[in-house]
Amino acid sequence: MKLVLASASPRRKQLLAQLSFLSSVAQKPFSFDILAADIDESHRAGESAASFVVRLAKEKALAGLNLYPAKGKAVVLGSDTIVVLGNDILGKPKDEADAKAILTRLAGKAHQVMTAVAVTDGEQTLTKLVTTGVQFCPMTQSDILAYIATGEPMDKAGAYGIQGLGGSFVEAIEGSYSAVVGLPLVETRALLCEMNVF
């Protein structure tokens, strides 16, 4: 079975490549194809943050499976990450003003990052949800504007990348670092083992 990553995210590609390298060292090599699967990422009324992110991961995996040309010969992995502050889901910023508003809200506060992973072969779909606590240090408006000027916040949930320049504002995390980046390695490896990929 071929593994397919249903994501255009360079961060997810890099993390999955780490698992692929580890599997080759263990003499159980796997490679993977990449297929961007576009879905409607709208939040539904009354849907919890956890249910929302798991649904998106599943829909991405299933959309990728439908797009993959070799039917019945692929295991497709979909993943989604959201940032949750209180009861609010903070997605990717719409523009620089939105990025500024999001980062101003996160400054000096604790929030949660939820990353869901789904794998499907068309017959069964398995999911895992990983929630990590993240504490931001206080940030001045000049800190925020300088960070936005780098362009890094613009394509990331919560308007920051922990693996990049945004990591300089992260005071502490409780949970999975790789999940905050975009793909929880321990849980993804467990799912791939369950699907006999790893």
Side-chain angles (χ1 to χ4, degrees):
M1 296 290 272
K2 184 71 179 179
L3 180 64
V4 179
L5 174 62
S7 173
S9 163
R11 296 165 295 279
R12 291 196 178 103
K13 175 186 174 184
Q14 185 179 29
L15 288 165
L16 191 57
Q18 289 178 24
L19 287 180
S20 175
F21 176 76
L22 181 62
S23 73
S24 66
V25 172
Q27 299 183 341
K28 298 178 184 176
F30 73 85
S31 60
F32 60 94
D33 291 338
I34 297 173
L35 192 62
D38 287 329
I39 61 163
D40 179 2
E41 298 190 19
S42 303
H43 181 250
R44 294 174 182 166
E47 188 176 36
S48 72
S51 298
F52 172 56
V53 74
V54 170
R55 176 175 63 81
L56 292 186
K58 285 168 74 171
E59 287 182 2
K60 286 180 180 179
L62 291 166
L65 189 69
N66 287 334
L67 288 170
Y68 196 68
K71 302 297 181 200
K73 297 188 186 290
V75 172
V76 182
L77 187 154
S79 184
D80 200 78
T81 300
I82 59 172
V83 171
V84 182
L85 179 65
N87 294 319
D88 295 335
I89 296 169
L90 307 178
K92 295 175 184 176
K94 299 180 200 72
D95 52 31
E96 290 189 356
D98 192 30
K100 181 183 174 189
I102 290 169
L103 290 166
T104 299
R105 290 186 66 190
L106 292 177
K109 295 195 182 84
H111 62 273
Q112 292 183 316
V113 176
M114 294 183 179
T115 296
V117 183
V119 291
T120 186
D121 60 5
E123 292 185 13
Q124 65 172 335
T125 302
L126 307 174
T127 62
K128 295 260 186 191
L129 172 65
V130 179
T131 302
T132 303
V134 180
Q135 174 68 50
F136 257 37
C137 69
M139 300 166 74
T140 65
Q141 284 298 297
S142 60
D143 290 334
I144 291 169
L145 292 174
Y147 181 44
I148 291 169
T150 69
E152 185 179 274
M154 301 316 297
D155 67 338
K156 294 172 181 65
Y160 75 94
I162 193 172
Q163 75 286 354
L165 300 169
S168 61
F169 305 117
V170 176
E171 199 165 73
I173 72 166
E174 185 177 345
S176 169
Y177 171 82
S178 59
V180 180
V181 178
L183 192 69
L185 290 175
V186 170
E187 292 77 8
T188 300
R189 183 176 180 274
L191 287 174
L192 295 179
C193 285
E194 204 169 337
M195 295 292 264
N196 297 312
V197 173
F198 197 101

